[in-house]
Amino acid sequence: MTTRVLVADDEALIRGSFRLLVDSAPGLSAVAEAATGEEAVAISRRERPDVVLMDVRMPVMDGIEATRHICAAQPEVRVLIVTTFDLDEYVYGALRAGAAGFLLKDTPPPDLLRAIQVIAGGDALLAPTVTQRLIERYVAHVPPSKLEITEREREVLVLIARGLSNHEIGAALHLSLGTVKTHVGHLLTKLGARTRVHLVIAAYEAGLVP
């Protein structure tokens, strides 16, 4: 099955380079390009891509606002922010808007292609340079929120926030992999989260992680 990719960037050279890179990879196909955030929203609605490679700084509508529109109207579309700027406010804003991942444009091509596949597969991904400082900085000023979840779900959420995989969570809590996946699914639904990254944000905002 081919993963269909929309490339959104205001620089024609970058759009073309990303398109060629995507088309060179087995199982990936660049279906369209957008030069503004507004175009990205309209083309996404028309083409219904699996993944959108989204720049942040674009005319008419920036990438974060475009991401918000796309994720709200098309929850099945996965947005991967790819930008030159490693700025915390961009990262956090993109994730809050619904983006499933954030990478820098200096990411090696093979890593970018793997990221697209990871995102398309339903997982989340952050650039290695984007660490806990991001979440810690921005939720430090947010009053802890109350989460309507069970005690076991709370335990699972804390371990997700600490970076553990489903297998590691199962080992830590003596649960089967299937049971862990069920708890993660319940958390995603109850907290209105799209990815594990958003669960991490929710855990910090609730004050569950020091």
Side-chain angles (χ1 to χ4, degrees), residues 4-133:
R4 304 171 72 252
V5 181
L6 165 61
V7 179
D9 196 292
D10 64 333
E11 295 187 41
L13 182 59
I14 291 178
R15 287 200 311 275
S17 298
F18 280 168
R19 181 161 198 157
L20 288 174
L21 178 63
V22 169
D23 284 336
S24 72
L28 300 180
S29 175
V31 296
E33 299 178 19
T36 71
E38 189 173 71
E39 283 185 5
V41 173
I43 294 174
S44 180
R45 187 180 299 115
R46 183 180 72 241
E47 297 291 340
R48 307 194 72 81
D50 299 300
V51 175
V52 179
L53 292 185
M54 183 78 76
D55 188 22
V56 171
R57 291 188 175 181
M58 291 189 290
V60 184
M61 178 189 294
D62 67 32
I64 293 177
E65 186 63 23
T67 297
R68 184 174 295 108
H69 282 282
I70 291 172
C71 292
Q74 300 174 274
E76 74 282 2
V77 177
R78 313 280 290 173
V79 177
L80 174 59
I81 299 292
V82 185
T83 180
T84 306
F85 306 98
D86 183 15
L87 300 179
D88 288 352
E89 57 266 31
Y90 284 170
V91 184
Y92 192 68
L95 296 177
R96 294 296 290 172
F102 187 102
L103 287 179
L104 298 178
K105 287 181 179 176
D106 62 2
T107 298
D111 291 345
L112 176 58
L113 294 175
R114 281 194 295 271
I116 294 173
Q117 294 166 339
V118 166
I119 295 298
D123 211 336
L125 183 144
L126 291 177
T129 55
V130 180
T131 62
Q132 285 187 187
R133 65 174 168 77

Side-chain angles (χ1 to χ4, degrees), residues 137-154:
R137 173 179 173 182
Y138 281 89
V139 304
H141 307 291
V142 178
S145 56
K146 184 177 181 181
L147 303 180
E148 299 296 332
I149 58 178
T150 68
E151 184 57 36
R152 178 62 84 186
E153 289 167 350
R154 186 180 300 272

